[in-house]
Amino acid sequence: MKILVTGGTGYIGSHTVVELQQKGFEVIIVDALFNSRIEVLDAIEKISGTRPEFESFDLADRRLTDEFFSRHHDIKGIIHFAAHKAVGESVEQPIKYYRNNLDSLMNILESMTKYNIPNLVFSSSCTVYGQPDAEHLPVSEKAPIKKAESPYGNTKQIAEEIISESINAYKGLNAIALRYFNPVGAHDSAMIGELPLGVPNNLMPYITQTAYGIRECLKVFGSDYPTHDGTPIRDYIHIMDLAKAHVVAIERMINAKMKKSFEIFNLGTGTGYSVLDVIKSFEKVSGLKLNYEIVGRRAGDIEMVWADPTFSNDELGWKAERCLDDMTSSAWKWEQTYRKNS
Ligand code: UDP
């Protein structure tokens, strides 16, 4: 059974590829390598024993996408990760984000209808909820969608609408959108993990790079939020739990277990942790003292959000199993292993 993973050399994509292979799926990756490295294929092969098929081109190119699908009639499902994801950059270069993230999705949907590929799993995000009102915390799939704070967030909202409308219009198409909370951590082997280019925007790689001495000091953005220690709260989820959820989603589609042709699930643990909670966990598992300072708030940051995962737990039969210490320790092991080998 062949599955196309777009963006399969990226952070979430690479972990999902390994999980798919270990479940017996054949994987073909398409990745333009805009934000990832070809060496990830070697690491995937080392972990799973199988090198996935790989093609490098931009799925936002309609002609190349059509040409690709015309050569691959055996694809039974698509997990679509390939997208730009830097919130700040999306504010500076909105057209880059709309063009890439939406054109690639539309090209894929068009090819799915043309070549009769029925199943799509789409990477969505909890950014669609914005800052939920107090009565919507923890946030379930039924919580209202808020106006997007950035072009990046807007591409996720518009993408869900494009998928929903396409499914209404074209018989035989099915999709599952997975709304991720904050994916962190790395594969147990420490052979794949998060590899941000340049200065990290996200908390976990900033912590591990600071501990390794690549960054001097972690800036904690704000300590005056209405939370137990004043720092913002997120639902951090281990990348391996997240990867497993994608396999469950694609199996649900293939085994015709869907209750409707477009389903949406939250992927989170259901527990929120503050920035200082994450730092404390890191210090505990690493035995190090992290160099950090509290500075002003970062513009656009949400105060607190965490998932109500009840619907995904019940419907998918999936549950995030790994705790915060597993996340910080695997992220730290990955950072050290990667730096030693590069
Ligand atoms: N954060 C921080 N310093 C950093 C990066 C992030 O204090 O260098 C905080 C940020 O303010 C937020 C949390 O860590 O409260 C998670 O941020 P991240 O960018 O990882 O995820 P997102 O904001 O998209 O949920």
Side-chain angles (χ1 to χ4, degrees):
M1 178 81 70
K2 191 184 267 191
I3 305 296
L4 165 63
V5 180
T6 77
T9 56
Y11 176 40
I12 308 176
S14 58
H15 291 78
T16 302
V17 167
V18 168
E19 283 300 302
L20 284 167
Q21 289 178 316
Q22 288 178 339
K23 278 279 190 159
F25 288 100
E26 197 184 326
V27 175
I28 178 163
I29 294 175
V30 169
D31 198 312
L33 300 170
F34 289 150
N35 194 24
S36 61
R37 293 154 32 111
I38 190 79
E39 291 79 9
V40 170
L41 291 177
D42 301 331
I44 290 173
E45 186 178 357
K46 270 197 201 122
I47 298 170
S48 69
T50 309
R51 193 172 186 86
E53 231 181 300
F54 174 76
E55 293 197 23
S56 183
F57 68 90
D58 186 354
L59 288 153
D61 185 314
R62 193 175 178 189
R63 190 185 58 77
L64 291 179
T65 304
D66 181 74
E67 193 266 328
F68 168 84
F69 281 103
S70 73
R71 286 186 284 109
H72 293 278
H73 289 288
D74 50 349
I75 292 172
K76 296 286 180 269
I78 301 172
I79 307 184
H80 180 40
F81 293 106
H84 294 315
K85 61 172 187 177
V87 176
E89 185 187 57
S90 79
V91 176
E92 284 152 25
Q93 301 180 56
I95 303 301
K96 173 176 171 178
Y97 276 68
Y98 288 113
R99 207 178 272 297
N100 180 71
N101 294 8
L102 299 181
D103 279 355
S104 61
L105 174 68
M106 290 188 288
N107 291 341
I108 287 170
L109 286 167
E110 200 167 48
S111 294
M112 288 177 75
T113 59
K114 184 167 169 190
Y115 297 103
N116 295 319
I117 302 169
N119 302 316
L120 176 71
V121 177
F122 177 70
S123 286
S124 192
S125 167
C126 70
T127 55
V128 302
Y129 302 119
Q131 174 59 64
D133 304 326
E135 80 261 26
H136 289 117
L137 270 177
V139 70
S140 82
E141 293 81 354
K142 294 197 172 73
I145 302 293
K146 292 271 173 69
K147 185 176 161 29
E149 300 257 351
S150 69
Y152 161 76
N154 209 17
T155 66
K156 294 296 176 192
Q157 293 191 5
I158 297 170
E160 286 193 4
E161 286 170 7
I162 292 172
I163 294 170
S164 170
E165 287 162 6
S166 300
I167 278 167
N168 288 339
Y170 307 117
K171 281 267 159 315
L173 265 192
N174 304 300
I176 292 180
L178 299 175
R179 291 181 179 158
Y180 313 148
F181 281 68
N182 286 57
V184 294
H187 192 266
D188 298 328
S189 67
M191 286 195 260
I192 50 174
E194 190 171 6
L195 203 55
L197 294 182
V199 182
N201 290 310
N202 296 113
L203 179 64
M204 193 65 87
Y206 212 108
I207 289 178
T208 55
Q209 289 196 11
T210 305
Y212 202 80
I214 297 162
R215 312 281 152 211
E216 209 176 303
C217 179
L218 169 76
K219 291 188 171 67
V220 173
F221 298 131
S223 62
D224 57 349
Y225 287 94
T227 63
H228 62 276
D229 59 19
T231 62
I233 290 179
R234 297 285 183 277
D235 187 337
Y236 297 93
I237 173 167
H238 197 295
I239 189 73
M240 294 309 298
D241 281 328
L242 198 73
K244 285 183 204 306
H246 289 79
V247 180
V248 171
I250 202 83
E251 285 176 334
R252 178 180 175 90
M253 306 181 101
I254 288 165
N255 298 329
K257 294 274 166 57
M258 294 175 77
K259 301 266 168 72
K260 48 184 185 168
S261 48
F262 184 32
E263 295 180 324
I264 295 177
F265 296 103
N266 281 346
L267 296 185
T269 64
T271 305
Y273 288 106
S274 72
V275 175
L276 292 179
D277 291 334
V278 178
I279 293 173
K280 274 187 210 130
S281 162
F282 177 81
E283 290 185 331
K284 185 173 84 181
V285 302
S286 67
L288 298 171
K289 181 85 201 72
L290 189 74
N291 190 23
Y292 70 90
E293 63 170 334
I294 299 199
V295 299
R297 291 184 178 200
R298 179 170 71 177
D301 263 354
I302 281 159
E303 292 180 355
M304 52 181 127
V305 63
W306 64 96
D308 177 352
T310 312
F311 184 61
S312 27
N313 294 169
D314 292 350
E315 273 300 316
L316 296 176
W318 163 91
K319 198 172 189 319
E321 283 166 354
R322 305 198 189 203
C323 67
L324 182 61
D325 288 352
D326 296 333
M327 303 178 207
T328 48
S329 62
S330 67
W332 180 225
K333 186 175 165 201
W334 155 247
E335 183 78 57
Q336 295 174 92
T337 309
Y338 175 71
R339 298 294 161 193
K340 272 185 207 127
N341 295 333
S342 59

